[in-house]
């Protein structure tokens, strides 16, 4: 039987609808308007399009949203001063510095200068620590891993006691999603294994997984026969494998493939995310969710 396709596009739309209601109620009952600033240094086309999408989403939800464009040659000192300005601005609850930054700027120094309570990307070491401690300590969850957890939970998979295998140990996906799934609590409480290039028998680990999360960046790494029948497969990989002409625009667009052989895997898995349209659409939505959480926290409301 063919797997249920977990549509990130649909789940993200559902969460945004919930968020819109929450934002409207916050405004009406508490006079609180979530505020998000996106800081863009230079004009890298990919960064411009990411920041534009984030601002569009914030605008649609009724946030106070600000895009702060800075020249490519801004000094590190001036950028740090800008972050500090927003740290102190009571209208701003979320600060996002779009990466990558130009080479003359120390990225780590800038990210670490963001007030952890406004760090809606959840890259600050304080928030990474809070995530590890878990429970009420974890104010924000990093956006892509948080989106992955939402997809699993909303697709109805039981996470408690489930064998979760995470392929990849990056700081932005593998490590945080493994930490999220092992916490004692709702939507987690799983038995987690992380595998990577040093793992001896990748196939054996994947075959045990009730929930298989793949974030390696290697197209087709996970073979269909590695998937346990009925498992939930979350394919985080986004790999450009070629170009095609878009039917809509007539212009060349990249052909994207995940880390899992989707067509064959969907005949074995119980549920699976497509690429594109799976994890991808969730990331910005979770950024919006973190900003709403931050606004509530700053207003002294339960988050
Ligand atoms: P990354 O920093 O390159 O990390 C990849 C991880 O996968 C590493 O831990 C690496 O192991 C492991 N790995 C690579 N090849 C492997 C192999 N053959 N066997 C076992 N493990 C292997 O990548 P990332 O930033 O986590 O991103 C992973 C993928 O997710 C990429 O395709 C990226 O584009 C995508 N992504 C999507 C979203 C989204 O949709 N919103 C967000 C973030 C990332 P070692 O540590 O041993 O090198």
């Amino acid at each position: 039987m063919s797997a249920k396709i977990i549509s990130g596009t649909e789940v993200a739309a559902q969460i945004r609808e919930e968020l819109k209601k929450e934002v409207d109620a916050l405004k009406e009952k508490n006079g609180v308007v979530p505020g998000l600033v996106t800081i863009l240094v230079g004009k890298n086309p990919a960064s411009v399009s990411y920041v534009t999408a984030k601002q569009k989403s914030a605008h649609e939800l009724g946030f106070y949203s600000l895009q702060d464009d800075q020249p490519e040659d801004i000094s590190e000192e001036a950028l740090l001063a800008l972050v500090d300005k927003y740290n102190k601005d009571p209208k701003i609850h979320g600060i996002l510095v779009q990466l990558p930054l130009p080479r003359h700027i120390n990225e780590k120094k800038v990210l670490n200068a963001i007030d952890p309570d406004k760090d809606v990307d959840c890259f600050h070491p304080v928030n990474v620590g809070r995530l590890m401690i878990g429970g009420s300590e974890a104010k924000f969850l990093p956006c892509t891993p948080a989106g992955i957890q939402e997809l699993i939970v909303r697709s109805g998979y039981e996470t408690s006691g489930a064998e979760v295998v995470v392929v990849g140990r990056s700081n932005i996906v593998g490590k945080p999603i493994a930490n999220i799934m092992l916490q004692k609590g709702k939507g987690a409480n799983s038995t987690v294994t992380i595998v990577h290039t040093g793992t001896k028998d990748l196939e054996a680990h994947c075959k045990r997984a009730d929930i298989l999360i793949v974030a390696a960046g290697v197209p087709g790494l996970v073979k269909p026969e590695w998937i346990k029948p009925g498992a939930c497969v979350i394919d985080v990989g986004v790999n450009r494998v070629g170009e095609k002409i878009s039917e809509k625009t007539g212009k060349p667009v990249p052909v994207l493939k995940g880390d899992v052989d989707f067509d064959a895997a969907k005949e074995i898995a119980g549920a699976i995310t497509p690429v594109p349209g799976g994890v991808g659409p969730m990331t910005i939505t979770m950024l919006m969710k973190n900003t709403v959480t931050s606004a509530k926290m700053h207003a002294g409301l339960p988050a």
Side-chain angles (χ1 to χ4, degrees):
M1 206 177 78
S2 212
K4 170 186 170 189
I5 308 302
I6 306 172
S7 165
T9 310
E10 281 171 22
V11 175
Q14 197 183 329
I15 296 174
R16 282 179 208 215
E17 211 172 287
E18 294 163 10
L19 282 176
K20 180 81 179 86
K21 284 187 190 140
E22 211 177 337
V23 171
D24 291 347
L26 270 175
K27 278 186 197 171
E28 211 176 290
K29 290 191 196 142
N30 308 94
V32 173
V33 181
L36 175 72
V37 62
T38 48
I39 302 174
L40 175 66
V41 178
K43 289 192 165 61
N44 173 312
S47 296
V48 171
S49 90
Y50 291 141
V51 164
T52 307
K54 288 166 190 171
Q55 279 298 327
K56 182 172 175 273
S57 188
H59 186 74
E60 283 168 1
L61 288 172
F63 286 12
Y64 167 66
S65 57
L66 206 64
Q67 178 161 342
D68 193 330
D69 292 328
Q70 293 295 326
E72 180 86 23
D73 62 354
I74 185 175
S75 68
E76 184 179 287
E77 203 187 356
L79 187 57
L80 288 169
L82 192 67
V83 168
D84 191 48
K85 182 184 96 172
Y86 290 120
N87 279 342
K88 291 177 180 144
D89 185 340
K91 294 197 297 300
I92 295 295
H93 308 105
I95 302 171
L96 183 135
V97 178
Q98 186 63 47
L99 301 180
L101 290 172
R103 278 165 183 248
H104 68 278
I105 296 175
N106 182 336
E107 227 165 66
K108 208 166 154 188
K109 207 167 161 187
V110 174
L111 294 181
N112 290 358
I114 298 173
D115 176 350
D117 288 347
K118 294 189 178 186
D119 169 40
V120 284
D121 243 348
C122 202
F123 288 155
H124 194 290
V126 166
N127 284 326
V128 176
R130 286 170 173 166
L131 164 62
M132 276 210 63
I133 296 166
S136 59
E137 284 289 330
K139 297 173 193 266
F140 309 124
L141 295 180
C143 303
T144 300
I148 295 170
Q149 186 189 32
E150 285 282 353
L151 289 177
I152 297 167
V153 170
R154 290 181 188 237
S155 66
Y157 267 76
E158 179 55 78
T159 58
S160 185
E163 290 276 351
V164 170
V165 174
V166 180
V167 183
R169 57 177 161 189
S170 72
N171 288 328
I172 63 162
V173 189
K175 282 182 200 158
I177 188 58
N179 268 296
I180 289 170
M181 297 311 294
L182 67 78
Q183 297 298 334
K184 195 166 186 168
K186 253 176 96 186
N189 207 29
S190 310
T191 301
V192 181
T193 306
I194 310 184
V195 296
H196 43 75
T197 57
T199 299
K200 284 197 181 114
D201 191 346
L202 201 61
E203 176 176 349
H205 288 289
C206 291
K207 276 181 167 164
R208 280 191 292 107
D210 301 311
I211 298 170
L212 180 61
I213 301 167
V214 193
V218 180
L221 173 68
V222 170
K223 308 286 173 272
E225 60 274 20
W226 297 9
I227 294 167
K228 181 173 171 178
C232 174
V233 179
I234 306 291
D235 188 354
V236 192
V238 180
N239 307 292
R240 285 174 178 236
V241 293
E243 266 192 359
K244 64 176 182 186
I245 299 298
S246 158
E247 280 177 21
K248 265 192 201 162
T249 63
K251 290 185 181 159
V253 287
V255 175
L256 302 177
K257 280 235 181 314
D259 290 349
V260 179
D261 175 354
F262 178 81
D263 289 332
K266 77 177 184 344
E267 300 307 320
I268 301 162
I272 187 167
T273 55
V275 178
V279 175
M282 295 296 290
T283 303
I284 293 182
T285 300
M286 302 318 286
L287 179 76
M288 300 301 130
K289 190 170 180 192
N290 280 348
T291 308
V292 173
T293 301
S294 178
K296 289 196 282 190
M297 265 166 31
H298 281 87
L301 300 166

